[in-house]
Amino acid sequence: MNCFRNTRTCLSVAALATVVGAPLAAQTTVDVAIIGEADTFDPMVSTKDVVSIVTQHFVETLYTFDDSWAVVPLLAADMPQISEDGLTYTIPLREGVTFHDGSTMDSADVVGSIERWLELATRGRSIADKVESVEATGEHEVTISLSAPYAPLLSLLAFSNSAAAVYPEEILAETIENVVGTGPYKIAEHAPDQYLQLTRFEDYTQPTGAAERQQTPDEIRFVPVPDPNTRVEGLLSGQFDFADSLPAESFARVESSDVAEPLVLEPFGWPLFAINHKQGLLTDKTLRQAVQAALPHDDMLFAAFGDDTFFQVDGAQYPEGWTWQTDAGTDLYNQNDLEKASALLEEAGYDGTPLRILTSRQYEFHYKMAEVAQMALEAAGFDVDMTVVDWATLSQQRDDPTMWDIYITHSPFLPEPSLTSTFFSTSREGWANPEKEELLTAFTTETDPEARKEIFADIQQIVLDDVGFIKIGNFNSLQGKSTALSGVEAAPWPQFWNASVAE
Amino acid sequence: MTRYLIKRLVGLVVVIFLVLTIAFIIVRLAPGDPAALMLGPDATTEDVAELRTRLGLDRPIYVQYLTFVANAAQGDLGDSLFFNAPVLEVLAARAEPTIFLALFSLIFALVIAAPIGIYAAYRHGSATDQGAISTAMLAASVPSFLTGLIFQRYLATELGWFPASGYGGPDASFLERMGHLILPSIVLGITNSALILRFTRASMLDILGEDYVRTARAKGMTERRVVLRHALKNAGIPIITVVGLTFALLVSGAVVTERVFNLPGLGNLVVNAVLRRDYPIIQGTLIVVAALYVLVNLLTDLLYLVVDKRVKL
Amino acid sequence: MAATLSAEPNFFGALISRKSVLVALVIFVAVVGISFLSPLISPTNPDAMSVRSRLLPPGSEGYLLGADAFGRDVLSRLLFAGRVSLTIGLGVAIVSSVIGILIGLLAGFFQRLDTPLSRLIDAMMAFPDILLALSLVAIFGGSMTNVILALSIVYAPRIARIVRASTLVIRVLPYVEAARALGTRTHVIMWTHVLRNTISPILVQATFIFAYAMLAEAGLSFLGVGVDPETPTWGTMVNEGRQYIDQAFFLVLIPGLAISISVLSLQLVGDGLRDALDPRLAKET
């Protein structure tokens, strides 16, 4: 008998051959196919989803999000004491938290880590000018002082993407070679592009706010599998217990399989056409409105995701069920009105300068939406110059405002709108609009949730009125898990500490 | 002979230097910024600029080149931008699947294709000949990634005869790892056996048309003996040539095959490196593969000397 | 000896006398003819989308060979894509042969040039072809011309090597030595004797390079760096289709067959060509 498949399957075949139903080796391993290699294990310096998925198992933050996206304490002992004026956050820390190197976490580690975050992390830097000081006000207490109230602070501290991760003070440096965290799992072995092996951290102490990390599997293995079809084959052949980001087209096949089942994350996120406000054609508002009028959102989504169980034609920034959901301004969404677009082009005195759309096939749906958009925009009278590059080139070219007018990207629905950088004039898109800036400042300094909701409705209205960027719709993401796996939910950043595999 | 060897060894160094230079130029001309990639989609322009400085990507290109050559001469191919590890270390970790994939598929191809090729030439024009040639051509006419995907889907996922992808986990034994290579080797071997079959057959035909073979025939030697004695002996050069050629084909065939089966070999490493703009890895792989290739080449030429006395070097 | 060399003119007769070769030749000519007439015979605009018709199977009304993920007519795209794929193959075969012959002849014939040119051939061949093509296309972008140039650079050394190897042997053959001794000028020797004797492997190789280039184009599409996806080729069609392998296998099958049929017929023609061009063999069979 050839034990070609992974060890567990092999063992189970061997077991069946001897005594049916005999108990198996106690060792449990969860094999997870992810879309690529996590090029760093320091989630502070990366905003990639794959880094978040992997590192959340061994690196922790002061706060985290629960199932309903509420902020709950993780390394913190409790929610912070926030002063009346909203300027001072006093954060109690859990006692007896052990790092993987055996040392114990204290306020000095947290202060050092947050200072590094403010200095190096993309999201940390975005608020560094609002932070007056980060101080240890006790062995297990940290105080953050702000120069102005900043409502999204806790969400930023809780986010696993460009995360405010807590490291031991001793390892803090510009580049951290060997990441040491406090998470329920620790890195055992890393073979680049092959696997990342995590083993249970025996000295882990459970959080008081966030859900329990049961540490069920002995081992979690993340295997980078860049090709979507290979992830499907691997899942269906029993090689993986979980596979992230499967093509919508594989849904039927995964569903009909007897070893695996689909997990639909609904809705997962929103594709968007990011607009260059710094230079070029679309600095003209009338032309932006022409693009907005011309786009056939329903066709774009249909071509991109194939099956309407995988997308919703929805112009609101947040889907039904989210606090931030509002219909403000959505009458301007999915107009699909070529005549209006042509009229706007004429009004703007469009001279035939090509509209440059930059996209990549890293995400096939980006490219498909661009193809359909191109056809509609050309029908409206635009001369479209579409450039399809690899993701590496795209990430470089989009930083150069001379290279593009529109680039295509997507984002998961983030619990706090201000985590979306495109709203801000400091982003690479550079959308500056005095009225919007005012609203944003009000939004980030306001602490009353109801008031913030109302301000957000005005922000959404202005995004559509001024065409700050174009949200295409909502889409679901498809993940797959083996039928034997339980304790894992479909999530943008799936977690495996409660996973168990039935034999 | 010794002088010739020395000359060739000097040539080897020259070739590697040429390859090194060409590789440096090619990868540096490519657009795409490794710093932006490393930081992820939400990084700001300033973050990217800062990382570029830290990685030395902002220095003038000739400085980067000179540093690179000087270090390479000392066996230091730099550090991978993505793995934070020396290039040679990363390459060494990836060599195993590629080497065995190439070896297995070459053996597969030679064992299947060479005898058929010789036999087809011997029965030149017969139905067997036509059949062999047509089958080989058919096999070589399907894009290899398609063969791979179809085999993967039916033989691995559906039937479960082979692992669908990967190279086993951290605890995979050597045999288990080799098990992961069987299906990829067959896929790669199919494409290459077609080439070897055609080439062997063509070379045999060439030789069967030579004067000395005709003389042997005229002398009343049986056709079988002609083939075994004279023709086979002189088929050495073309077969050596094709093995030499196939080496390069195998390495590039490995790029696609490793991609389909998600094997952590050099081919997959290089494609990822190109997509990630991991310059030191691209350069390092090119240099190592080039060195291997030039060595094989040198051996091929030396074998010419041994096999065919007509070649004066 | 000279007499056998001039026994070539009836090679066309020899070429088509073989049934399989004749069939292959007819098929290939038909494929080329149909593809190049695509603007005239294509049923619709290959880029016209109708998203609601996506993935309609072959035989559907208005879509003889079905519709792709954008609801574009597969037949029309197949015809236009064929033009691009065949142009790439032919372009690579011609450009790489020209470069390869020049380098190979010079290297094989002039001992002084042999070393540097062989080193160049070696250096170029030392690059795994897909990787070199991948890097070149990544730098210069995926236009058709760039793909042709990149693949020509990749394949030229093969021709060069074969030409050089044959030249090395032929150079010392008695009649070439004799011609040289008789004072014939060097380049005349080259063109008359050597080239004539190497033309058969070159033509055969060029035919195969034509075929390989079409396969390589498909491979590059698979790796994500092929011709600009806006220009349909058979390779990009297969690669796009493989996402729908469950719902619409024809999207892979149809362009896949187009590639395989062209490549297969090319190889058969190449083989026939080889046999026909080699007068010694032609006489004996």
Side-chain angles (χ1 to χ4, degrees):
Chain A
M1 184 186 67
N2 283 311
C3 289
F4 283 135
R5 292 188 178 174
N6 69 18
T7 326
R8 201 186 50 250
T9 319
C10 190
L11 281 173
S12 66
V13 174
L16 280 174
T18 50
V19 187
V20 178
L24 288 156
Q27 183 79 11
T28 57
T29 301
V30 176
D31 292 288
V32 180
I34 49 177
I35 65 163
E37 178 69 24
D39 44 63
T40 171
F41 295 141
D42 176 5
M44 257 194 214
V45 300
S46 177
T47 56
K48 283 186 173 177
D49 289 335
V50 68
V51 173
S52 297
I53 292 174
V54 167
T55 57
Q56 62 180 346
H57 292 88
F58 49 88
V59 172
E60 293 179 313
T61 43
L62 290 175
Y63 292 94
T64 189
F65 296 103
D66 68 8
D67 290 349
S68 52
W69 292 111
V71 174
V72 289
L74 183 57
L75 286 172
D78 206 343
M79 295 305 285
Q81 296 267 327
I82 306 172
S83 64
E84 282 290 305
D85 56 7
L87 293 178
T88 316
Y89 284 64
T90 311
I91 302 171
L93 304 178
R94 259 163 54 209
E95 293 180 27
V97 173
T98 315
F99 284 109
H100 297 159
D101 63 0
S103 61
T104 308
M105 180 188 80
D106 62 18
S107 52
D109 299 316
V110 176
V111 169
S113 298
I114 293 185
E115 278 171 349
R116 180 174 183 265
W117 178 68
L118 292 169
E119 197 182 317
L120 288 181
T122 306
R123 293 189 199 279
R125 284 155 72 129
S126 71
I127 60 152
D129 59 336
K130 297 178 188 77
V131 177
E132 300 250 286
S133 69
V134 182
E135 283 165 304
T137 43
E139 201 190 338
H140 292 102
E141 190 185 89
V142 171
T143 303
I144 300 175
S145 310
L146 304 176
S147 56
Y150 193 73
L153 178 67
L154 283 183
S155 298
L156 282 174
L157 290 176
F159 203 30
S160 62
N161 186 285
S162 191
V166 176
Y167 299 120
E169 199 184 358
E170 294 73 29
I171 69 161
L172 294 175
E174 208 166 57
T175 312
I176 298 179
E177 295 271 333
N178 295 306
V179 169
V180 174
T182 55
Y185 286 83
K186 58 182 184 189
I187 300 172
E189 200 187 330
H190 177 221
D193 286 338
Q194 208 171 338
Y195 56 81
L196 169 69
Q197 182 188 27
L198 303 182
T199 52
R200 185 191 290 122
F201 176 46
E202 301 295 346
D203 296 329
Y204 184 69
T205 49
Q206 293 295 333
T208 49
E212 189 192 353
R213 273 75 170 126
Q214 291 169 15
Q215 300 183 288
T216 330
D218 297 295
E219 252 183 68
I220 304 170
R221 283 181 207 159
F222 290 101
V223 181
V225 186
D227 186 89
N229 288 60
T230 313
R231 288 198 291 280
V232 176
E233 300 303 329
L235 177 74
L236 295 183
S237 68
Q239 217 166 2
F240 302 118
D241 299 303
F242 187 96
D244 190 24
S245 189
L246 303 179
E249 289 76 23
S250 68
F251 181 81
R253 192 151 165 247
V254 178
E255 199 180 32
S256 64
S257 152
D258 47 9
V259 296
E261 59 195 53
L263 291 175
V264 180
L265 182 58
E266 189 179 355
F268 165 76
W270 49 292
L272 70 149
F273 277 31
I275 290 174
N276 186 348
H277 293 268
K278 290 185 179 164
Q279 272 186 39
L281 214 50
L282 297 185
T283 50
D284 180 340
K285 181 178 169 185
T286 317
L287 287 177
R288 292 203 295 276
Q289 287 171 323
V291 174
Q292 188 185 41
L295 291 183
H297 291 248
D298 40 3
D299 275 1
M300 289 162 69
L301 290 162
F302 194 65
F305 301 104
D307 185 327
D308 50 19
T309 56
F310 280 95
F311 66 86
Q312 296 92 44
V313 184
D314 180 8
Q317 274 302 306
Y318 279 87
E320 216 54 65
W322 287 72
T323 335
W324 308 109
Q325 204 279 335
T326 163
D327 285 332
T330 51
D331 51 320
L332 292 171
Y333 169 78
N334 195 19
Q335 300 170 55
N336 209 346
D337 187 343
L338 292 181
E339 276 171 36
K340 180 178 168 191
S342 307
L344 284 165
L345 277 180
E346 199 160 322
E347 185 193 326
Y350 177 62
D351 60 357
T353 312
L355 175 73
R356 295 159 305 164
I357 300 180
L358 183 62
T359 188
S360 133
R361 304 191 80 167
Q362 170 94 5
Y363 302 97
E364 196 61 28
F365 65 92
H366 290 184
Y367 163 72
K368 286 180 183 152
M369 290 186 308
E371 280 269 271
V372 179
Q374 178 180 22
M375 187 185 66
L377 291 168
E378 280 175 350
F382 274 106
D383 180 8
V384 179
D385 176 8
M386 182 162 120
T387 316
V388 185
V389 294
D390 54 54
W391 192 253
T393 313
L394 186 137
S395 10
Q396 185 189 40
Q397 290 189 351
R398 67 180 177 181
D399 276 335
D400 180 351
T402 62
M403 303 286 288
W404 55 280
D405 297 307
I406 290 174
Y407 81 86
I408 298 166
T409 185
H410 71 272
S411 164
F413 291 104
L414 299 174
E416 158 65 45
S418 34
L419 293 175
T420 301
S421 60
T422 326
F423 286 118
F424 296 89
S425 60
T426 48
S427 68
R428 68 169 65 78
E429 295 81 17
W431 177 38
N433 171 317
E435 203 186 329
K436 177 212 66 172
E437 305 312 325
E438 216 166 283
L439 284 169
L440 275 179
T441 314
F443 183 69
T444 52
T445 49
E446 178 59 60
T447 47
D448 173 49
E450 281 307 310
R452 294 192 77 210
K453 258 177 81 171
E454 275 165 36
I455 305 172
F456 184 69
D458 293 340
I459 295 178
Q460 179 173 309
Q461 179 79 44
I462 207 166
V463 167
L464 284 144
D465 282 343
D466 195 42
V467 201
F469 53 86
I470 300 174
K471 182 197 173 201
I472 308 303
N474 305 341
F475 72 104
N476 305 341
S477 94
L478 177 64
Q479 297 167 331
K481 71 172 196 66
S482 99
T483 43
L485 183 81
S486 55
V488 180
E489 304 282 318
W493 306 285
Q495 302 161 339
F496 299 94
W497 43 70
N498 296 344
S500 58
V501 185
E503 289 291 346
Chain B
M1 185 68 192
T2 320
R3 261 191 64 192
Y4 172 72
L5 260 180
I6 292 170
K7 226 174 96 186
R8 288 305 304 262
L9 285 173
V10 172
L12 189 143
V13 175
V14 173
V15 170
I16 292 174
F17 180 77
L18 273 174
V19 165
L20 211 137
T21 310
I22 297 170
F24 184 87
I25 295 169
I26 288 176
V27 295
R28 288 303 157 119
L29 283 176
D33 184 342
L37 261 188
M38 286 172 81
L39 288 168
D42 285 351
T44 65
T45 316
E46 296 79 54
D47 294 341
V48 173
E50 195 174 295
L51 186 63
R52 283 184 67 83
T53 316
R54 191 134 49 87
L55 294 173
L57 294 170
D58 59 336
R59 290 177 301 169
I61 204 127
Y62 72 91
V63 177
Q64 295 183 45
Y65 174 69
L66 290 177
T67 319
F68 174 68
V69 172
N71 289 339
Q74 297 162 39
D76 172 11
L77 296 176
D79 286 351
S80 159
L81 300 183
F82 276 82
F83 299 125
N84 258 330
V87 167
L88 279 180
E89 206 174 276
V90 177
L91 293 187
R94 301 305 181 78
E96 187 188 281
T98 307
I99 289 172
F100 283 100
L101 176 63
L103 192 68
F104 290 165
S105 53
L106 183 63
I107 292 172
F108 177 87
L110 272 179
V111 164
I112 290 199
I116 300 179
I118 291 167
Y119 187 73
Y122 167 55
R123 300 290 303 274
H124 179 64
S126 72
T128 321
D129 179 30
Q130 303 253 333
I133 277 294
S134 310
T135 314
M137 284 178 178
L138 194 64
S141 302
V142 183
S144 62
F145 69 87
L146 207 52
T147 320
L149 289 169
I150 290 169
F151 276 34
Q152 179 185 52
R153 180 161 179 184
Y154 293 102
L155 301 184
T157 313
E158 301 296 333
L159 294 172
W161 292 353
F162 304 97
S165 70
Y167 198 50
D171 40 17
S173 67
F174 181 73
L175 271 181
E176 228 178 298
R177 297 202 297 276
M178 295 303 112
H180 277 84
L181 291 180
I182 296 179
L183 192 57
S185 300
I186 293 174
V187 170
L188 185 52
I190 285 176
T191 318
N192 290 302
S193 55
L195 178 91
I196 290 184
L197 191 152
R198 314 179 33 74
F199 208 93
T200 330
R201 176 181 172 276
S203 313
M204 266 324 268
L205 284 180
D206 242 354
I207 291 156
L208 288 174
E210 294 277 357
D211 287 344
Y212 61 92
V213 176
R214 292 159 69 185
T215 315
R217 269 199 209 111
K219 279 202 243 153
M221 215 183 243
T222 64
E223 197 63 21
R224 215 181 131 85
R225 265 180 75 103
V226 170
V227 170
L228 292 178
R229 267 289 178 79
H230 292 274
L232 213 51
K233 217 166 110 192
N234 289 290
I237 285 213
I239 290 177
I240 293 165
T241 309
V242 83
V243 171
L245 281 173
T246 312
F247 175 80
L249 272 187
L250 285 172
V251 173
S252 34
V255 175
V256 170
T257 312
E258 286 178 10
R259 201 78 185 155
V260 172
F261 290 97
N262 201 38
L263 290 171
L266 294 174
N268 216 344
L269 176 71
V270 147
V271 176
N272 283 334
V274 166
L275 296 175
R276 291 166 180 160
R277 310 274 173 255
D278 194 344
Y279 301 135
I281 289 286
I282 302 175
Q283 286 161 343
T285 317
L286 282 172
I287 293 155
V288 169
V289 172
L292 277 174
Y293 182 79
V294 179
L295 275 175
V296 170
N297 222 21
L298 177 61
L299 287 177
T300 313
D301 283 359
L302 290 179
L303 279 171
Y304 281 154
L305 263 185
V306 179
V307 174
D308 192 337
K309 301 281 185 281
R310 286 180 303 173
V311 182
K312 282 192 307 189
L313 287 161
Chain C
M1 214 26 111
T4 36
L5 281 173
S6 57
E8 279 171 29
N10 65 344
F11 89 91
F12 194 71
L15 182 64
I16 60 170
S17 70
R18 218 171 292 260
K19 231 186 285 167
S20 61
V21 177
L22 180 65
V23 172
L25 193 64
V26 169
I27 290 176
F28 188 68
V29 169
V31 169
V32 172
I34 292 170
S35 295
F36 281 83
L37 287 175
S38 53
L40 298 176
I41 58 176
S42 160
T44 61
N45 175 351
D47 296 323
M49 291 180 195
S50 163
V51 177
R52 299 288 143 180
S53 314
R54 81 195 288 269
L55 306 186
L56 280 182
S60 306
E61 206 191 325
Y63 299 95
L64 194 58
L65 292 182
D68 74 1
F70 295 100
R72 295 177 297 207
D73 180 40
V74 171
L75 175 58
S76 308
R77 287 184 78 72
L78 190 75
L79 294 173
F80 275 89
R83 200 158 63 145
V84 181
S85 290
L86 291 164
T87 308
I88 290 175
L90 183 65
V92 173
I94 292 174
V95 177
S96 61
S97 296
V98 170
I99 303 173
I101 289 171
L102 281 177
I103 298 178
L105 278 182
L106 291 174
F109 215 83
F110 299 103
Q111 266 171 312
R112 216 172 302 158
L113 289 178
D114 188 25
T115 312
L117 284 177
S118 292
R119 290 304 83 79
L120 185 70
I121 295 173
D122 290 348
M124 281 167 67
M125 285 196 77
F127 290 103
D129 60 357
I130 290 279
L131 173 66
L132 184 56
L134 188 137
S135 312
L136 289 170
V137 174
I139 303 166
F140 299 110
S143 75
M144 194 171 81
T145 323
N146 290 343
V147 171
I148 292 176
L149 283 178
L151 289 174
S152 299
I153 292 172
V154 168
Y155 291 120
R158 287 185 194 195
I159 297 266
R161 244 195 120 165
I162 285 169
V163 173
R164 175 183 169 268
S166 308
T167 313
L168 274 183
V169 174
I170 290 160
R171 194 181 68 195
V172 295
L173 286 181
Y175 67 92
V176 179
E177 298 255 35
R180 230 188 319 192
L182 285 172
T184 320
R185 280 165 54 205
T186 322
H187 70 267
V188 179
I189 303 175
M190 245 164 45
W191 290 108
T192 53
H193 296 294
V194 180
L195 196 55
R196 269 190 146 183
N197 273 273
T198 52
I199 194 81
S200 120
I202 291 170
L203 254 176
V204 174
Q205 265 300 309
T207 317
F208 294 128
I209 285 175
F210 192 144
Y212 293 152
M214 290 179 67
L215 289 174
E217 183 272 311
L220 286 176
S221 299
F222 168 72
L223 294 174
V225 287
V227 180
D228 198 340
E230 281 168 274
T231 316
T233 69
W234 287 338
T236 54
M237 286 179 77
V238 173
N239 195 43
E240 278 175 16
R242 91 190 159 93
Q243 302 165 66
Y244 310 100
I245 203 156
D246 288 305
Q247 300 99 316
F249 186 60
F250 68 91
L251 285 181
V252 170
L253 185 71
I254 292 170
L257 275 177
I259 296 177
S260 298
I261 289 173
S262 312
V263 171
L264 182 62
S265 54
L266 260 174
Q267 299 203 65
L268 282 167
V269 172
D271 244 36
L273 209 57
R274 187 201 177 282
D275 290 354
L277 280 177
D278 197 322
R280 290 168 300 181
L281 277 168
K283 264 190 167 177
E284 274 160 31
T285 31

